[in-house]
Each structure stands twice: as structure tokens, then as C-alpha cells.
Amino acid sequence: MSDTRHIIAVFGATGAQGGSVADALLSDGTFKVRAITRNPMKNNAKRLHERGAELVRADLDDDKSLRTALKDVYGVFLVTDYWEHMDKEREVMQGRRVAELCRSLKIKHAIFSSLENAKELSGGRLEVPHFDGKGEINDYFREIGVPVTSVRMPSYFENFLGAYRPVRSDDENCFILEIPIGGVPLHGMSVRDLGGVILSILKSPEEYIGKDIGLSTDHLTIAEYAAIMSKHTGKTIKASKLFPEDYEKLDFCGAYEAAGMFKLYMMGLDRDKEMTRKLNPKAVTFEEWMLENKNLLNLR
């Protein structure tokens, strides 16, 4: 008997966002999953194949491979990765390429992992390339008439295990969360919960096509994040007194751009906790996430 389920092409299927989406779709079983990857030999790709995903090799810079990957597809989940090459124009071209193929192949529903256009939102005061490029791609999907839903992730809770990991203070009496937004609350969410959101959107296209959906499961100050981390690790963790203007002077690649992102966060971005919970009732709060992941911090 032939399989008549709709095919969903998932870009970045071996990464954080795409991996979450592929996992949710495979676990649910309503849709067939076509995992798009540049390297089908990756262990993550092989695991997806073992669970029933079709693996297709394609590159966002290669129109021919993309056309093959999107043949006979009903829907697409697209995530682009600015940080792979740190070239906004290249990211925009990648997104436009997929948008144009969605139109020419008459794909019924595209879901794009977008972000706000910081330059536009700030009246030209801020430029945050990894935001701005995604905003431009989102606009292009709409301009050429592709049926699209955009989702806008907040800061990942997983960042607290990496870029936002608390650092030991100079006097070594405590740890500091060096997130430079003062007392302004920061939206957050676990990236693993994105998949359930996308599954719900795909199941109700008439409700979500044409919408921009800002996601979040918590909206806490850095001091509140620090207090929850202290509670579950037994370590004293405090919020820093840094602001973006301090951050952009730090000596590391991307400091200036990161400072622009934090300035954007301080402006307040449109994220909807209630909608996120509607789309994925199992999505966790920061405290729930922290309870599960406290040992991964390994603060010493």
C-alpha cells in the first residue's frame, strides 16, 4: 500500500531547530519527513533515517539540489544559519532561493524561522545582521505570494549552557550571568519545544498561514533567571550590571553585533507565551528546563 501522507521538507534537520521539528513530526506520524542535509552520513542524519525520515542531500547555495529536494513536497520548514558564514547577503539569497522554489513548485505551506528586521524596527538606529537578513527573507516570501507562516524564536534556554553560561566572579565567591540588558525581562524558550509548535501549525494551516508568531515560554529579568539557577544548582549566581554599551567594547568577534541584539531585546520584541502554550502545551518554563538540565551546567 502506498504512503499517501503529505511530505514535509525539514531544513537543518540535523541541527537544533530542524532537529526538533524532525523529531516532533516523526514522533507524531501525521506527515512524512524529508530531512534536508548537506551530509547524509552524519550520525544525526542516520538516526533520523532509522526512525523513518527520507534523507536528501541539498545545499542552500545550490538551486539544482534544492529543486530536487523539494519535489512533490507539501510543506517546508526553513531555518537559515547566518553564523555559519556571517554574511547577511548570502543568507538572504539562500532564503530567497527557497522562497522562489516554493512558489514555482506550488508548495502549499512554508514555515520560516524568522526574526525581526532590527534596522527597520529601530528606524535605522540598529543593524543586527542575523536578525535583519531573516526579516528580509520573511518579507520576500510574502511579496511573491508564498503561503507562509513565520515563527520567531526567543533566546534559547540552551544558551545558558553555552554563550550565556555563568562565569566565576573575580573574587570567586559567586558566578555572574553576563547578559547586558539591565532589569529588562528577556523572553526565553527551549529550542527542543519548537517541534511541537511547528507540528500544530502544519495541522491547522488555515489558521496560521499569513501570520507572524512570536514564541516564548518565559519572560524573566536576568536576576530572576539567576535566582532560578541558584536554586537548582546550589551555587550563588547573580546578574551582571553590564549594558549593551559596555558589551560592544569587549574584545571578541561579534561583540558589536551581539550588543546590537541586546539593544533590540531591550526595546521589547513581540513574543506570545499564551500562543506558544496553545501550539505546544508540553513546552517547558525556564524553571522546568533548569530542573532537567542543572547538571549540564557543571559550575566549578
Side-chain angles (χ1 to χ4, degrees):
M1 184 182 296
S2 62
D3 190 340
T4 59
R5 292 176 299 165
H6 288 315
I7 301 171
I8 307 299
V10 179
F11 284 88
T14 59
Q17 289 196 27
S20 173
V21 173
D23 176 67
L25 269 58
L26 287 167
S27 296
D28 177 77
T30 301
F31 301 98
K32 291 173 65 176
V33 174
R34 181 174 293 172
I36 311 299
T37 177
R38 286 178 304 177
N39 182 6
M41 299 308 293
K42 276 186 176 180
N43 288 334
N44 285 354
K46 290 178 180 178
R47 283 192 285 269
L48 290 174
H49 183 63
E50 289 168 0
R51 294 179 60 194
E54 175 190 6
L55 299 183
V56 176
R57 186 194 305 270
D59 191 308
L60 284 170
D61 293 315
D62 178 24
D63 185 272
K64 185 177 179 180
S65 70
L66 290 173
R67 184 172 289 275
T68 300
L70 296 181
K71 183 181 179 183
D72 299 325
V73 159
Y74 165 84
V76 170
F77 172 76
L78 174 65
V79 58
T80 54
D81 186 5
Y82 166 85
W83 297 108
E84 181 182 32
H85 43 71
M86 297 185 71
D87 183 338
K88 191 197 85 169
E89 298 310 316
R90 180 177 173 186
E91 180 181 21
V92 171
M93 286 305 300
Q94 290 174 337
R96 288 170 69 105
R97 191 173 288 117
V98 173
E100 288 165 2
L101 284 169
C102 285
R103 179 180 62 176
S104 68
L105 295 171
K106 296 181 172 53
I107 286 170
K108 302 299 184 185
H109 193 180
I111 303 178
F112 175 51
S113 181
S114 185
L115 288 170
E116 290 82 355
N117 188 322
K119 187 173 183 179
E120 186 177 281
L121 196 63
S122 67
R125 291 185 295 107
L126 296 176
E127 288 191 45
V128 186
H130 72 285
F131 272 67
D132 295 346
K134 291 177 179 64
E136 291 180 27
I137 294 167
N138 190 51
D139 289 344
Y140 190 70
F141 267 101
R142 298 265 162 73
E143 287 169 12
I144 66 172
V146 175
V148 64
T149 305
S150 79
V151 292
R152 293 171 174 169
M153 284 292 287
S155 182
Y156 301 171
F157 292 155
E158 286 77 8
N159 286 339
F160 289 102
L161 302 176
Y164 295 171
R165 190 174 187 274
V167 297
R168 186 173 286 279
S169 65
D170 291 338
D171 61 13
E172 298 194 350
N173 289 328
C174 67
F175 293 85
I176 306 294
L177 273 182
E178 294 185 334
I179 303 174
I181 58 173
V184 176
L186 176 70
H187 281 289
M189 176 179 172
S190 172
V191 68
R192 75 179 188 192
D193 289 328
L194 175 62
V197 168
I198 302 305
L199 175 64
S200 292
I201 293 171
L202 286 167
K203 286 183 173 182
S204 300
E206 68 289 340
E207 187 173 353
Y208 299 111
I209 285 175
K211 293 189 176 179
D212 299 313
I213 303 173
L215 302 175
S216 173
T217 61
D218 244 329
H219 191 215
L220 306 172
T221 65
I222 306 308
E224 288 170 329
Y225 281 112
I228 291 170
M229 296 176 84
S230 296
K231 173 183 174 182
H232 291 289
T233 63
K235 306 290 185 180
T236 301
I237 302 171
K238 298 179 180 179
S240 76
K241 295 180 170 32
L242 287 174
F243 282 86
E245 292 76 13
D246 305 308
Y247 209 78
E248 64 190 11
K249 298 172 186 174
L250 297 178
D251 186 22
F252 70 89
C253 180
Y256 187 83
E257 179 172 340
M261 177 186 70
F262 291 123
K263 289 177 183 178
L264 188 63
Y265 286 157
M266 292 181 75
M267 289 173 59
L269 299 179
D270 185 14
R271 300 291 184 266
D272 190 333
K273 292 197 296 180
E274 288 188 12
M275 175 60 76
T276 305
R277 287 286 187 176
K278 175 185 174 183
L279 291 166
N280 184 359
K282 295 181 180 179
V284 297
T285 64
F286 181 65
E287 180 138 27
E288 291 167 333
W289 180 88
M290 193 66 222
L291 187 61
E292 294 178 23
N293 292 277
K294 59 186 177 182
N295 293 332
L296 295 180
L297 272 173
N298 195 26
L299 298 176
R300 294 180 181 176

